[in-house]
Amino acid sequence: SITVTPVGATIAAPAEAVAGSTIEVGWTGPDNRNDYIGIGRADAESSERWENFTYTREGSPLKLLIPTQPGDYVIRYILDQDRVTIVETPIRVTAATASITAPAEAAAGATIEVGWTGPDYRSDYIGIGRADAESSERWENFTYTETGSPLSLLVPTRPGAYVIRYFMDQDRVALAEAPLTVTEVTATLTAPETAAAGGTIEVGWTGPDYRNDYIGIGRAGAERSEQWERFSYTSGGSPVSLQLPETPGAYVIRYFMDQDRAAIGEVPITLE
């Protein structure tokens, strides 16, 4: 026979913390293999008792990530075997706040400056997405807050109603948002109607000249990357020298934004 005696533990933690923050938790206990300190809602049951946790093998004190939703929580010392809680202490989680300062309107494909305040937790970011987007589509483009305020944010290429949001990396919770109207951007091209296949022509252009924008030529009706068999970057100024494909036929010269390879202007050309 063997007598099994109770095992004791203690937890030392703050009574209150901001949502999404990381706190230090002191503890004493058996430190059995894979024991851990977990945090979950005060009324949670089963595995929901630990939304986040840290193994006791990390030592005391250890770091514990606070959940993103405000409310009443409990920090528990949990034995890995049978998930038995041997001590617990309450903690109040308060809301994290943020703010965003951005222009009300921007041209498609442009880069804007966004000012922000917020917790700046590890891997938090400012993202932009369609006003009616859900889930991961809420951020078509983003920049990490660790770059400071203001930060540079790339505007999507499709015009329409968008929202700029401050996201906590944990659970992708949006703490603040600001609307942005994205306006259409256009380009014009000037090129000969016909040219010799395999030759080189000069193409005049106007357009936004964003970083790595280019003038490309591809078969009429071509899709995806086949739209540009040859190309020249707009950074060289207007006009650009464009080498032509060697196969005669009907082609199209297009102005491409580097982001999304969006074509915003085109003219036809026949190669003879």
Side-chain angles (χ1 to χ4, degrees), residues 34 71 177 193 212 214 248 265:
N34 291 335
E177 61 181 46
E193 295 181 358
N212 292 332
Y214 55 96

Side-chain angles (χ1 to χ4, degrees), residues 38-126:
I39 182 171
R41 288 278 184 179
D43 57 355
E45 298 181 359
S46 189
S47 61
E48 294 182 0
R49 291 176 297 158
W50 58 91
E51 295 182 29
N52 298 326
F53 68 91
T54 302
Y55 289 111
T56 57
R57 60 172 172 258
E58 297 297 323
S60 177
L62 50 74
K63 295 185 182 299
L64 184 64
L65 183 62
I66 300 298
T68 57
Q69 299 301 318
D72 294 319
Y73 287 77
V74 174
I75 299 173
R76 301 174 172 92
Y77 184 114
I78 301 173
L79 297 176
D80 179 59
Q81 181 186 180
D82 298 334
R83 304 298 191 267
V84 173
T85 298
I86 56 175
V87 70
E88 62 183 43
T89 187
I91 184 170
R92 177 70 177 175
V93 175
T94 60
T97 59
S99 67
I100 289 176
T101 305
E105 185 176 283
T111 298
I112 61 174
E113 284 198 341
V114 178
W116 60 270
T117 64
D120 192 21
Y121 298 139
R122 184 176 181 273
S123 296
D124 283 2
Y125 55 97
I126 307 297

Side-chain angles (χ1 to χ4, degrees), residues 202-226:
E202 287 197 340
V203 179
W205 60 270
T206 65
D209 192 22
Y210 298 139
R211 184 175 182 272
N212 292 332
D213 283 2
Y214 55 96
I215 308 298
I217 182 171
R219 286 277 187 181
E223 298 180 357
R224 299 182 183 275
S225 61
E226 294 182 359

Side-chain angles (χ1 to χ4, degrees), residues 195-199 217-220 229 244-251 269-272:
I217 182 171
R219 286 277 187 181
E229 296 182 28
L244 304 176
E246 298 179 355
T247 304
Y251 286 80
I269 185 172
T270 300
L271 301 188
E272 301 175 338

